[in-house]
Amino acid sequence: MNLLDAMRYLAALAQARHFGRAAEACHITQPALSNAVRALEQEFGVTIVRRGRQYEGLTPEGERVLASAHRMLHEREALRQELSASVADPGGPLVIACVPTAVPVAARLAARLRERHPGIRPAVRSLSSAEIETGLADLSFDLALGYVDRAQARALKAQVLATYSERYVLLRRRAAAVDSVPMRWADAARLDLCMLTREMHNRHIVDAAFAQAGAVVQPVIETNSVLTLMLTVLEGDVCSVMPGVLAELARQYPALELVPLVEPDLRVMMGLLLPQGGRLSLAQQAATALAADGPWWRGVVGPADAAVHHSGAVSGG
């Protein structure tokens, strides 16, 4: 058994949550992937995968093996980059994880980084805050965009490379030729709203702002897709609340307008996080250097209600 290959197959299985799709992603047959996982189970003497008629997840022991797999694969890739590239001309994959509301920033980050270093191959993954926290711990991705306060509260082992502060706005169909004056959260609560579902951290932020304004909201539409937030406003008679960087995408639609929300004046700090505990790949080093460039980072964040800061602080560990 090739241990690194088997670990790679296990990581693919955990991500795809399906034997067939994982095998396809690894360019092998499904029986070959299943045999590799069974070989791992024999090697370590534990059951790694809970099996029924289909994939049912990992056992607690399997989760520990998976965490080791991610660390091993990260170290291998970092070493491979050191041996095949140079600091002046970095190359290789760079996995950027982000919470859904930070996808526009992650996309700009990937594009600008690739423009500066054509040898780097960024991959952007939209994940929940909980999944990002797990990934920071087991080195399953290289960079993350997430909530700084949440990272600090959970003492995550991650360095905050750069931050931006987001304000929140109401997205609605345009009622006049010019943008409207700011609206109070209490007034927004009376509107028909499309909001994210409650398992998403951003929904807790928005609910807390409404509560601070003395309002409780029952949305008429809920979704776990940030794209759906915008499309329901564009196509239906509803409004939505979203962070400014995400809402800026709506400016390409003349029928939509952004209304600043006040009382409270909500600001949420978002951060570019670097996992700690492993060797930095050349691609990570290149991204870290660019994030330290204030004008470059401001270009990534864009003009939407964002104040840029830089910090070398470690949020945990």
Side-chain angles (χ1 to χ4, degrees):
M1 175 186 67
N2 183 310
L3 181 60
L4 280 174
D5 279 347
M7 291 296 205
R8 179 166 62 89
Y9 301 155
L10 177 63
L13 177 60
Q15 181 176 340
R17 302 186 63 80
H18 187 277
F19 279 95
R21 290 194 293 270
E24 184 178 355
C26 294
H27 306 290
I28 60 173
T29 65
Q30 183 172 330
L33 187 141
S34 297
N35 290 337
V37 173
R38 288 193 176 91
L40 281 177
E41 292 177 325
Q42 294 173 359
E43 172 74 16
F44 297 115
V46 296
T47 300
I48 292 176
V49 177
R50 291 188 282 111
R51 296 179 178 86
R53 299 187 63 180
Q54 54 189 338
Y55 176 81
E56 295 182 355
L58 301 181
T59 64
E61 294 80 8
E63 294 287 355
R64 293 175 64 184
V65 175
L66 176 65
S68 292
H70 284 308
R71 288 192 290 270
M72 291 173 63
L73 294 170
H74 174 84
E75 289 294 323
R76 180 184 68 172
E77 177 57 29
L79 178 59
R80 189 198 65 76
Q81 290 184 22
E82 286 182 12
L83 297 176
S84 62
S86 67
V87 174
D89 187 24
L94 184 81
V95 180
I96 305 169
C98 65
V99 294
T101 55
V103 165
V105 175
R108 293 187 198 118
L109 173 63
R112 290 172 181 268
L113 186 62
R114 175 68 174 72
E115 183 180 27
R116 183 73 64 88
H117 298 294
I120 294 178
R121 303 188 305 276
V124 177
R125 296 182 58 197
S126 176
L127 301 173
S128 69
S129 292
E131 289 172 320
I132 286 178
E133 289 155 15
T134 298
L136 287 170
D138 64 22
L139 305 180
S140 59
F141 45 74
D142 302 301
L143 293 171
L145 278 163
Y147 300 98
V148 173
D149 289 347
R150 179 175 171 123
Q152 292 173 339
R154 286 161 173 75
L156 299 181
K157 292 183 178 179
Q159 181 181 357
V160 182
L161 297 178
T163 63
Y164 62 96
S165 177
E166 288 202 311
R167 295 175 182 266
Y168 276 64
V169 300
L170 180 81
L171 181 66
R172 70 181 182 186
R173 294 188 67 83
R174 185 175 294 277
V178 296
D179 284 351
S180 300
V181 297
M183 177 183 294
R184 299 186 308 156
W185 284 84
D187 294 328
R190 302 188 185 97
L191 303 173
D192 288 338
L193 295 174
C194 176
M195 297 175 62
L196 294 174
T197 47
R198 295 183 184 277
E199 78 274 8
M200 302 189 74
H201 183 65
N202 185 266
R203 171 64 183 275
H204 293 278
I205 292 173
V206 172
D207 281 347
F210 277 123
Q212 188 176 344
V216 177
V217 173
Q218 182 60 50
V220 297
I221 301 175
E222 291 184 297
T223 178
N224 64 354
S225 164
V226 294
L227 177 61
T228 302
L229 291 178
M230 188 177 302
L231 292 179
T232 53
V233 177
L234 186 64
E235 299 294 335
D237 189 22
V238 297
C239 304
S240 188
V241 174
M242 58 182 63
V245 170
L246 177 63
E248 277 293 312
L249 296 177
R251 291 196 183 276
Q252 63 184 299
Y253 299 103
L256 300 179
E257 68 173 333
L258 313 182
V259 182
L261 289 168
V262 296
E263 298 182 33
D265 182 16
L266 176 64
R267 293 171 182 257
V268 175
M269 190 67 69
M270 306 295 293
L272 181 63
L273 308 175
L274 177 71
Q276 298 292 284
R279 177 203 313 249
L280 291 184
S281 68
L282 294 183
Q284 283 178 305
Q285 293 177 41
T288 300
L290 288 175
D293 181 341
W296 187 88
W297 175 245
R298 289 185 178 88
V300 169
V301 174
D305 297 325
V308 180
H309 312 275
H310 291 275
S311 172
V314 175
S315 57

